[in-house]
Amino acid sequence: MRHVIALDVGGTGMKAALVGADGALLHRARRPTGRERGPDAVVAGILDFAADLRAHGVRQFGEPAAAAGVAVPGIVDEANGVAAYAANLGWRDVPLRALLADRLDAPVALGHDVRTGGLAEGRIGAGRGADRFLFVALGTGIAGAIGVDGRVEAGAHGFAGEIGHIVVRPGGTPCPCGQHGCLERFASAAAVSEAWATACGDPEADAADCAKAVVSGDPNAVRIWRTAVDALADGLVTALTLLDPRTLVIGGGLAEAGETLFTPLRDAVRRRVTFQKLPEIVPAALGDTAGCLGAGLLAWDLLDTTDGTEVTP
Ligand SMILES: [Zn+2]
């Protein structure tokens, strides 16, 4: 049975699947990324995992995967298939697409983790059917994916969608990127966790605890939450002024607060827009499988599914 390999490489774990033509996850597997062993070992681990998935496909379906899609964090040169830089994995300019294609003897697509997850949310998740969408993930940082007609815009240098580094508070908190007052310093799950841990005196407290305290009416939690929501609305309005998306999909850890986030966020965005058209603001639907599902879509995109011939990526 014709299938592809989908692999989502994270900072701590790798999620993989064999994906059928209809998008079904035929086989799923996980492995640690093993970043403590260094960048070369991480790359070797990715290649080994992919090779094992290929072998599994041969055993289970009688043929090797027809293509592979791989999503990685950091800065990704998708056009040239190079993992350019990832602070958490320590690699620089790894020609991952060529290494994988050589090992798998199949075409390979390399994608950026958030853009790849966004591709899945836009095509088969919360943004399904939208010709223009913006996916924003509120996690350790904040990053986005700009969806246009079924594909995600990577930009000329692989930097498109970095909404977390839109300055929303000029002269504000320094950001490791070198600017001050970036959106992710205020509205990422990590920023909210840090602010709430300081306010409540429990270093273990996180953004989910803050959301619970908001629901129970804790004034400090309400203040921290409002700071985050206001900053997020400022950043999102900048983005939708530029991009005019039909659907705005919000995912990542902070979005797990559900209506505790979405009700005030929709209000805050609505209050800010003047001439701009208000997009539908919806929670992500695919959870932490989005990256893997998106990697599967990238792989299938390499194949001409109408006649089974391969197209040059
Ligand atoms: Zn920044």
Side-chain angles (χ1 to χ4, degrees):
M1 192 211 298
R2 202 164 159 79
H3 64 279
V4 299
I5 292 169
L7 182 53
D8 178 18
V9 178
T12 54
M14 299 190 277
K15 300 184 204 78
L18 298 179
V19 186
D22 57 356
L25 299 181
L26 306 168
H27 166 72
R28 296 171 75 168
R30 283 177 181 248
R31 276 185 197 175
T33 307
R35 64 176 164 179
E36 67 286 351
R37 294 180 293 133
D40 292 343
V42 168
V43 172
I46 292 169
L47 296 175
D48 288 346
F49 198 8
D52 289 349
L53 289 159
R54 182 184 191 276
H56 187 97
V58 172
R59 282 197 305 276
Q60 193 172 348
F61 306 114
E63 60 180 289
V70 181
V72 298
I75 299 162
V76 183
D77 178 350
E78 290 162 354
N80 292 308
V82 174
Y85 175 71
N88 57 353
L89 298 178
W91 63 32
R92 229 173 236 288
D93 296 325
V94 181
L96 207 48
R97 185 175 68 196
L99 292 170
L100 281 159
D102 191 46
R103 188 76 175 265
L104 297 172
D105 192 25
V108 175
L110 187 69
H112 171 270
D113 55 356
V114 174
R115 286 198 290 268
T116 304
L119 177 72
E121 285 290 351
R123 263 204 229 165
I124 58 175
R128 188 177 185 148
D131 54 347
R132 297 284 187 285
F133 69 88
L134 175 64
F135 169 69
V136 178
L138 310 172
T140 308
I142 297 181
I146 301 162
V148 182
D149 285 336
R151 52 173 284 277
V152 170
E153 175 59 42
H157 311 94
F159 285 85
E162 291 291 353
I163 187 174
H165 299 285
I166 282 182
V167 173
V168 292
R169 299 289 177 263
T173 314
C175 180
C177 79
Q179 303 183 115
H180 288 74
C182 290
L183 174 58
E184 74 174 38
R185 305 314 301 163
F186 304 97
S188 60
V192 171
S193 293
E194 194 183 320
W196 176 237
T198 304
C200 74
D202 174 4
E204 299 296 310
D206 64 10
D209 299 319
C210 186
K212 281 184 210 135
V214 168
V215 173
S216 64
D218 182 289
N220 279 325
V222 169
R223 175 180 50 79
I224 289 164
W225 202 253
R226 188 173 298 145
T227 299
V229 168
D230 283 345
L232 184 55
D234 286 336
L236 291 176
V237 168
T238 298
L240 64 91
T241 302
L242 271 177
L243 301 170
D244 186 24
R246 200 170 305 281
T247 306
L248 182 48
V249 181
I250 312 281
L254 208 62
E256 282 162 25
E259 287 307 311
T260 305
L261 176 68
F262 282 88
T263 300
L265 180 62
R266 290 188 188 105
D267 286 346
V269 171
R270 195 179 300 118
R271 279 198 309 274
R272 283 165 172 78
V273 296
T274 56
F275 68 94
Q276 304 94 327
K277 291 291 181 193
L278 206 56
E280 195 184 359
I281 303 178
V282 296
L286 303 175
D288 72 353
T289 57
C292 199
L293 290 165
L297 293 173
L298 289 178
W300 277 112
D301 284 355
L302 292 175
L303 305 167
D304 180 351
T305 51
T306 55
D307 64 5
T309 56
E310 288 167 9
V311 292
T312 308

